[in-house]
Amino acid sequence: MNRDELAEFLRVRRARVTPADVGLPAGGTRRTPGLRRQEVAQLAGMSIDYYIRLEQGRGPHPSRQVLNAVARALMLGQDERAHLFHLAGQPMDPPRIREDVPQSMLHLIAFLDEVPAYVLDARYDLRAWNPMATTIMGNLDCLAPDQRNVLRWIFMSPDISLHFDDEEKGAFARASVADLRAAAGRYPGDRRIQALVAELLALSPEFAELWGRHEVQVRREQRKRIHHPVVGTIDTICQVMPVPDRDDLRLVLYTTEPGSPSHRALRELRQHTLSS
């Protein structure tokens, strides 16, 4: 159980729920945003003293019943609820990140000759990719393993400020940090996640600001615009799917609408790759 992280998560989430959200009267001037501690305790059906101790990092080990009650009171989503359970020492997922990509998945991405595809682990390290992925991401084979990390690419980029000026890129960065926060909760003993977070906190104010929000969300489908020097702009749907029997690996596909200019651009890019 990570008492300090649990306490901070509860405080941050409480501040984001208004009395109106849960059907309570505002009750006059409030010194801080969000619900009061006694209101959360009331909604969760527990004593105010018990909840205060949880927020102060000195509470007992909460039961699943207590965690479910707090999650309802704070209106936590599915991913946030899972994160709450992990912080409280009630893990729902395997405690160790699997890094081996199943052979069947390697065959699948190799057969996707018109679709950029790669496999990403919970630390945002690339584990496998197909030739089309290299056409939009560069020659990944030439990079050292620790350089194949998507979060390092984003937050260590010299153009990070321009990155956040772009609405889609900024949304992608925020979603990725929220996803890493969820992974850190699922795998509290993973030293490489801890080292990655420490590195980015020290070197990237943008990452530190997003990490401090305590947003938790597992990444799923998202639109992404790619600017390629050969074929121009490609509008894709970045689909993220779990690898069967490997909950900590995700298959990422960049798909386009059939017959669209972006679809034709991907086909042109494939032909250019084959001829070069």
Side-chain angles (χ1 to χ4, degrees), residues 213-224:
R213 295 183 185 182
H214 281 260
E215 293 179 344
V216 180
Q217 181 181 14
V218 175
R219 262 189 62 204
R220 297 180 177 93
E221 179 179 297
Q222 187 173 10
R223 294 190 175 274
K224 190 170 185 179

Side-chain angles (χ1 to χ4, degrees), residues 41-68:
Q42 174 188 341
L43 291 167
M46 64 179 63
S47 72
I48 177 62
D49 180 66
Y50 185 97
Y51 182 76
I52 287 176
R53 282 186 288 152
L54 285 178
E55 275 206 7
Q56 292 179 343
R58 57 185 182 87
H61 198 294
S63 67
R64 288 184 175 272
Q65 181 179 2
V66 167
L67 293 173
N68 279 320

Side-chain angles (χ1 to χ4, degrees), residues 9-259:
F9 181 69
L10 291 175
R11 290 193 296 269
V12 170
R13 301 317 300 173
R14 176 169 61 85
R16 297 187 182 184
V17 181
T18 68
D21 291 334
V22 293
L24 293 176
T29 304
R30 291 171 177 260
R31 292 180 298 175
T32 57
L35 296 176
R36 298 185 175 106
R37 288 170 172 171
Q38 58 265 35
E39 290 170 335
V40 177
Q42 174 188 341
L43 291 167
M46 64 179 63
S47 72
I48 177 62
D49 180 66
Y50 185 97
Y51 182 76
I52 287 176
R53 282 186 288 152
L54 285 178
E55 275 206 7
Q56 292 179 343
R58 57 185 182 87
H61 198 294
S63 67
R64 288 184 175 272
Q65 181 179 2
V66 167
L67 293 173
N68 279 320
V70 171
R72 287 193 299 271
L74 296 178
M75 302 180 67
L76 300 185
Q78 178 182 351
D79 298 333
E80 294 167 329
R81 181 187 294 263
H83 185 64
L84 174 69
F85 272 72
H86 292 304
L87 292 179
Q90 304 271 13
M92 299 179 182
D93 294 320
R96 183 177 64 85
I97 296 177
R98 293 284 298 273
E99 299 176 353
D100 54 311
V101 181
Q103 197 69 28
S104 58
M105 185 57 56
L106 296 175
H107 292 160
L108 174 62
I109 64 174
F111 286 135
L112 296 173
D113 56 358
E114 287 191 1
V115 177
Y118 56 88
V119 177
L120 199 67
D121 70 15
R123 306 182 192 99
Y124 273 69
D125 289 332
L126 272 70
R127 292 294 165 192
W129 52 89
N130 67 1
M132 281 297 288
T134 64
T135 64
I136 63 172
M137 303 174 76
N139 191 345
L140 300 171
D141 294 306
C142 294
L143 298 178
D146 64 346
Q147 295 178 317
R148 301 179 192 141
N149 183 275
V150 175
L151 286 168
R152 285 193 179 98
W153 293 348
I154 295 173
F155 290 99
M156 302 302 289
S157 168
D159 300 325
I160 183 64
S161 59
L162 298 177
H163 192 101
F164 278 89
D165 288 339
D166 184 286
E167 182 178 354
E168 287 186 352
K169 290 183 178 180
F172 178 81
R174 288 190 293 273
S176 298
V177 173
D179 188 34
L180 183 67
R181 169 72 76 174
R186 290 198 306 274
Y187 305 100
D190 189 274
R191 294 185 178 182
R192 290 176 60 187
I193 287 184
Q194 296 170 3
L196 176 64
V197 170
E199 174 188 353
L200 294 177
L201 284 174
L203 300 177
S204 172
E206 293 82 4
F207 177 87
E209 194 274 327
L210 292 176
W211 188 256
R213 295 183 185 182
H214 281 260
E215 293 179 344
V216 180
Q217 181 181 14
V218 175
R219 262 189 62 204
R220 297 180 177 93
E221 179 179 297
Q222 187 173 10
R223 294 190 175 274
K224 190 170 185 179
R225 175 167 290 177
I226 299 169
H227 300 284
H228 196 276
V230 175
V231 298
T233 300
I234 309 173
D235 289 311
T236 71
I237 299 176
C238 181
Q239 303 199 36
V240 184
M241 295 174 284
V243 173
D245 299 323
R246 297 286 194 281
D247 291 342
D248 38 23
L249 293 179
R250 272 83 57 84
L251 171 64
V252 182
L253 304 173
Y254 288 176
T255 62
T256 56
E257 183 180 348

